[in-house]
């Protein structure tokens, strides 16, 4: 077992010397160093991240509980919302505990297999979240453009098929990631400048050929994000076209309001995600600590904000949340 003394491990001269050393390990341990450049402030940064994680846990569990216990909410929109809440719980829980350990108690080391498992869960469930956002856009399209056929098109069987398809796509597309990484050789210090295991950050540590890893990672990202954004864009183009044909400003406003919460969730999910993806490949001039902060927020901010957005924007959810807390208050 290799021992390192911290915080000497984070000192620049020590890290340079370690990075220039050379050894060959079939299954090395990785070292997550958190946010390089902000070492003195990491424990303070962990506090708002902890608040986001707590908010994500409470909010998404509340959403799941309300939808599960209220039969009137067993409709496509709310079933997709329940899927989103479940995915957000897994996504946040895959990232936050280890990130807090790194930032708060300097538990930098993470096992090789544990790192690959965390990386798989993060990327697979990010893909699933993107798929659920497409399904929610489809639901809004059918509800606004084909309201009379909504229950026929999106019947319970169709909802189950969509859920299974989203799950299988996330698992099958991302399953090669850990296997492709296992074929790489690491002959330098396995220091990851993140608070969690991220695919490209691990690939960059390898001293063997990584063309296949980089090409497959890029192909998956373009396939998932490209197709999903295109599908969402087409859905909302048809929605916009249909809404503009509706006579009366009040009717249009009501139609737009039904899509408002979904648009907010889409922006919160895709904007920081695209920034992180592009920075890894092209953003060589972006300060590293900015990249790491945004990459971490990308995994914690949507799970924390999604329940709030839907709680505020969706009247049925808001009323039932208030009813639950009001009833408990009376008890």
């Amino acid at each position: 077992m290799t021992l390192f003394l911290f915080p000497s491990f984070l000192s620049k001269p020590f890290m340079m010397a370690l990075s220039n050393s050379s050894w060959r390990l079939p299954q090395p341990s990785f070292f997550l160093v958190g946010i390089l450049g902000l070492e003195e402030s990491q424990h303070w940064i962990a506090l708002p991240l902890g608040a986001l994680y707590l908010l994500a846990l409470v909010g998404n569990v509340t959403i799941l509980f309300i939808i599960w216990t209220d039969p009137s909410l067993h409709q496509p929109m709310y079933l997709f919302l329940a899927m989103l809440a479940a995915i957000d719980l897994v996504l946040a829980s895959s990232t936050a505990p280890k990130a807090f350990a790194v930032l708060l108690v300097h538990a930098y080391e993470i096992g090789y297999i544990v790192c690959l498992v965390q990386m798989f869960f993060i990327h697979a469930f990010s893909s699933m979240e993107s798929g659920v956002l497409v399904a929610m856009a489809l639901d809004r399209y059918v509800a606004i453009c084909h309201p009379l056929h909504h229950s026929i098109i999106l019947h319970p069987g169709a909802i189950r098929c969509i859920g299974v398809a989203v799950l299988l796509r996330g698992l099958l597309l991302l399953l090669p990631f850990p296997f492709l990484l296992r074929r790489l050789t690491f002959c330098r210090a396995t220091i990851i400048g993140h608070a969690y295991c991220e695919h490209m950050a691990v690939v960059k540590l390898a001293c063997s050929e990584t063309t296949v890893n980089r090409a497959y990672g890029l192909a998956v990202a373009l396939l998932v994000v490209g197709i999903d954004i295109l599908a969402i864009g087409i859905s909302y183009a048809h929605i916009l076209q249909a809404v503009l044909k509706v006579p009366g400003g009040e009717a249009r406003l009501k139609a737009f309001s039904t899509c408002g919460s979904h648009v907010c969730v889409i922006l919160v999910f895709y904007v920081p995600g695209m920034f992180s993806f592009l920075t890894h490949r092209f953003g060589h001039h972006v300060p590293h600590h900015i990249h790491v902060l945004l990459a971490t927020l990308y995994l914690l901010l949507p799970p924390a904000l999604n329940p709030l957005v839907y709680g505020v924007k969706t009247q049925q959810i808001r009323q039932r949340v208030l009813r639950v807390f009001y009833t408990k208050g009376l008890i």
Side-chain angles (χ1 to χ4, degrees), residues 45-60 88 92 96 100 293 296-305 307-308:
I45 295 172
L47 295 179
L49 293 180
L52 285 176
Y53 181 50
L54 182 62
L55 193 60
L57 289 179
V58 174
N60 287 294
D88 280 341
F100 297 148
L293 274 173
T296 307
L297 285 174
Y298 159 65
L299 296 176
L300 291 178
L301 199 59
L305 292 185
L308 291 179

Side-chain angles (χ1 to χ4, degrees), residues 239-283:
I239 289 172
L240 182 62
Q241 187 179 25
V243 169
L244 292 178
K245 292 180 181 178
V246 175
E250 186 176 346
R252 290 181 184 178
L253 185 62
K254 184 178 180 180
F256 279 126
S257 68
T258 63
C259 302
S261 54
H262 187 230
V263 171
C264 291
V265 168
I266 289 171
L267 293 175
V268 169
F269 179 75
Y270 282 113
V271 171
M274 289 300 296
F275 178 86
S276 178
F277 171 77
L278 294 173
T279 301
H280 251 309
R281 287 164 173 79
F282 312 110

Side-chain angles (χ1 to χ4, degrees), residues 30 39 56 75 90 92 97 100 120 124 140 181 183 222 252 275 294 319:
F30 292 105
E39 292 89 349
Q75 303 171 27
V90 176
F100 297 148
F120 172 74
R140 292 299 84 207
L181 283 171
R183 54 183 279 278
L222 293 177
R252 290 181 184 178
F275 178 86
L294 287 178
Q319 288 177 344

Side-chain angles (χ1 to χ4, degrees), residues 61-93:
V61 168
T62 301
I63 292 289
L64 285 171
F65 173 77
I66 288 172
I67 294 174
W68 182 269
T69 57
D70 192 337
S72 69
L73 295 180
H74 294 177
Q75 303 171 27
M77 175 182 175
Y78 302 108
L79 293 175
F80 288 137
L81 179 56
M83 293 180 196
L84 188 68
I87 291 169
D88 280 341
L89 282 174
V90 176
L91 197 56
S93 298

Side-chain angles (χ1 to χ4, degrees), residues 3 14 33 51 54 59 71 77-78 93 96 136 138 178 193 203-204 221 229 231 237 257-258 260 274 308 321 325:
L3 296 177
F14 186 85
V33 295
L54 182 62
M77 175 182 175
Y78 302 108
S93 298
M136 297 174 84
L138 173 65
V203 169
K204 289 178 180 178
I229 289 180
S257 68
T258 63
M274 289 300 296
L308 291 179
V321 169
F325 284 102

Side-chain angles (χ1 to χ4, degrees), residues 16-43:
M16 290 179 64
L18 190 57
S19 295
N20 291 329
S21 64
S22 178
W23 69 88
R24 209 169 275 271
L25 291 173
Q27 289 193 357
S29 291
F30 292 105
F31 294 89
L32 301 167
V33 295
I35 308 170
L36 290 176
L38 298 176
E39 292 89 349
E40 299 299 324
S41 308
Q42 286 193 151
H43 58 288

Side-chain angles (χ1 to χ4, degrees), residues 170-226:
L171 294 177
L172 295 178
L173 280 179
L174 278 302
L175 192 60
F177 271 27
F179 292 102
L180 289 174
L181 283 171
R182 284 180 64 87
R183 54 183 279 278
L184 299 180
T185 301
F186 299 90
C187 53
R188 290 176 293 174
T190 47
I191 302 169
I192 301 175
H194 274 269
Y196 62 90
C197 286
E198 198 274 340
H199 177 250
M200 280 305 299
V202 176
V203 169
K204 289 178 180 178
L205 297 176
C207 57
S208 54
E209 180 58 49
T210 61
T211 302
V212 174
N213 300 74
R214 292 173 182 270
Y216 186 74
L218 182 61
V220 169
L222 293 177
L223 181 66
V224 171
V225 177

Side-chain angles (χ1 to χ4, degrees), residues 98-130:
K98 183 58 183 177
F100 297 148
V102 171
L103 299 177
L104 286 176
V105 298
H106 310 307
Y108 301 108
E109 188 170 3
I110 182 170
Y112 178 76
I113 299 298
V114 175
C115 182
L116 295 188
V117 170
Q118 184 191 49
M119 181 205 66
F120 172 74
F121 269 83
I122 287 172
H123 290 291
F125 278 85
S126 294
S127 170
M128 292 178 203
E129 178 147 350
S130 182

